[in-house]
Amino acid sequence: SRLMVLEDSKQVASGTSSAATTQLHILFGSQTGNAEALAQSAAKAARAQGLVPVVQGLGEVDIDVFATMRHVLVVTSTYGEGEMPDNAQLFWQAISASTAPRLEQMHFAVLAIGDTGYDGFCQAGKFIDMRLEQLGAKRVSDRIDCDIDYEEPSNQWIATSMPQFAASAGSSGTALENLPEAPVIPGSNKQNPYAAALVTNKRLSGSESGKDIRHFEFDLTDSGLKYEAGDALGVIPVNDPTLVKLLLSQLNADYDTPVSGFDRSLGDLLTYQFEISEPSRKLIEWVGQNTTNQELRHVLQHDDKDTLGIWLWGKDTLDLLQLELTRSLSIPEFVALLRPLQHRAYSISSSSKAHPNQVHLTIATVRYHSSGRTRSGVCSAYLAERVGRGEKPAIFISPNKAFRVPANNEAPLIMIGPGTGIAPFRAFLQERQAVSASGKNWLFFGDQHQQHDFIYQDELLAWQESGLLTRLDLAFSRDQSKKIYVQNRMLEQGAELFAWLEQGAYFYVCGDASRMAKDVDKALYQVVAQFGGMSVERAADYVDQLKKEKRYLRDVY
Ligand code: 2AM
């Protein structure tokens, strides 16, 4: 031990010891795993600066432990219209309380990611940044707010912020470990997609259904790709060639028209590189300033997001270009107003244990008619209509570590997944079957009509028969005059549901965030209060506790 001490003091003398012992707590608030992935890449950068990164979800951080941390990087996304992501809610409650501890000894920085298409852009990061300062913590570098194309700016920010953290920690900046980079498997992230053959494209909903819900299977044989039940699949779409043609003719240009500053033709840019369906903010603003269209000018003057949303409903880039403009828009100007084409992420509906060489998706095709044209969802229609069997769309696995079957195979599972929200639960059930998990499984499923929309009916009924599904509760909203939704079924079965929670059940929700998930959330509080015999406050504590124990998990969009 004497030798150890000597060794230690030698390190102090050479000035590297503080680096080797300075922890940088990298805390992420993540809804879909993007912020978590960024936290991991920040950890790599921290290590290169001689810091010792400790990566944790905000939901895992105890406020008293937080108060003792000296170097903290918060990486957080924002959920919905300016809300905290699920795993950051309790942390936010704790630091925003009047009883929150002072943080004079803390050095911090905040990396926020968001989407300018929503209200409350990066609001979660802004709130946390402001509150930490109020509590006395010292900012190491200014917050960055990144839009959906966050990879490049956030990684640049990380590259400049890490030396600042290292400096504030008195680190020498020597790398602790300079591990050689492992080769990246194509398909393991967005930058390195994999071309996966689409081997199945099957309609699940009946021909008389109001919806076109499809089951897709991609071949992963020899790809080396791995995924877990609960993960999402990123799909990089190709725009609709019909819309590309219409845009080209609106612009009086050919497919092959060169565009200065780009090494691809205009046609290629519109097909592969930019969003041409949903108009970008920049385009809306430009058109708003250069149109005689009174409606749009009026809507923009009032700066009211809801009214603008209503006006924009069903309108795409072409509709905006077809408004009466007071000056012409050059092709390079137009391209500069577009935003980059984004991948779409879908919850995977298979378990790799049941389908080792495949990945499955369950997607409702978005399609509607507006102002004389049929419009369709960029990626859902791409997969449903334009990818031929055996053709290979670019995909990648988008891990969602927070949304997994419980490690405990005996724990009961309650799953609320109406519509395509069933996707991850099909994966969960396959997973539990594959590992012979003994825990009970309860699925709440619903859609419009039993006859047309009971997707995966045969599988679900077979699982009920085999006992894998302990309970299956169905809510077909339009089979009777009064709407029945999954949350109505939850309340009807409230006593049983509460009993399962008391037995340690995990409660999962997947699907529509704006209405369904909110109503299901309300119903959960109501079930706990009513069937647990609790006051409103105690029921709220009970649900908070579920969140803390990571037994209330959501994959909502
Ligand atoms: P609806 O379209 O008949 O209103 C899947 O889309 C199912 O979710 C449909 O049955 C749909 O019903 C239902 N749904 C719509 N709004 C909902 C809400 N607020 N809560 C739960 N389910 C809802």
Side-chain angles (χ1 to χ4, degrees), residues 118-130:
Y118 288 87
D119 270 348
F121 171 60
C122 285
Q123 197 56 57
K126 289 175 184 168
F127 276 145
I128 292 173
D129 186 48
M130 178 190 72

Side-chain angles (χ1 to χ4, degrees), residues 211 418-419 446-448 475 477-478 483 485-487 515-516 519:
K211 298 182 181 182
D447 214 314
Q448 295 178 356
S477 51
R478 304 189 188 185
K483 288 273 172 99
Y485 290 148
V486 281
Q487 62 269 26
R515 293 159 302 140
M516 184 276 292
D519 293 344

Side-chain angles (χ1 to χ4, degrees), residues 211 213 416-421 445-449 453 475-479 483-488 512 514-520:
K211 298 182 181 182
I213 304 179
I416 316 290
T420 50
F445 172 75
D447 214 314
Q448 295 178 356
H449 299 287
D453 306 311
F476 289 100
S477 51
R478 304 189 188 185
D479 279 347
K483 288 273 172 99
I484 296 175
Y485 290 148
V486 281
Q487 62 269 26
N488 302 113
D512 168 67
S514 63
R515 293 159 302 140
M516 184 276 292
K518 281 190 179 140
D519 293 344
V520 164

Side-chain angles (χ1 to χ4, degrees), residues 19-27 39-56 71 73 162 176-177:
T21 53
T22 297
Q23 292 192 334
L24 174 64
H25 295 271
I26 304 177
L27 310 178
Q40 295 297 353
S41 77
K44 225 189 221 174
R47 232 172 268 129
Q49 289 296 322
L51 297 158
V52 179
V54 182
V55 180
Q56 264 183 308
H71 305 279
L73 168 63
M162 278 312 149
L176 269 185
E177 40 181 308

Side-chain angles (χ1 to χ4, degrees), residues 148-159:
I148 41 171
D149 236 15
Y150 61 84
E151 278 92 350
E152 211 183 294
S154 58
N155 281 315
Q156 262 168 24
W157 183 88
I158 288 170

Side-chain angles (χ1 to χ4, degrees), residues 285-352:
E285 270 156 30
W286 189 94
V287 172
Q289 280 158 10
N290 297 286
T291 182
T292 50
N293 182 286
Q294 285 311 310
E295 239 179 50
L296 177 58
R297 293 174 61 95
H298 181 80
V299 166
L300 285 174
Q301 265 158 24
H302 284 258
D303 197 26
D304 167 4
K305 197 160 181 282
D306 293 338
T307 324
L308 179 61
I310 292 167
W311 184 84
L312 276 174
W313 194 90
K315 292 194 175 65
D316 58 21
T317 301
L318 179 60
D319 293 306
L320 285 186
L321 290 189
Q322 285 174 337
L323 293 178
E324 234 160 276
L325 300 180
T326 52
R327 74 178 186 87
S328 71
L329 180 59
S330 74
I331 286 168
E333 266 183 310
F334 170 63
V335 171
L337 293 171
L338 299 177
R339 60 180 207 164
L341 184 60
Q342 294 298 311
H343 74 274
R344 293 351 188 216
Y346 300 103
S347 310
I348 290 172
S349 57
S350 55
S351 154
S352 58

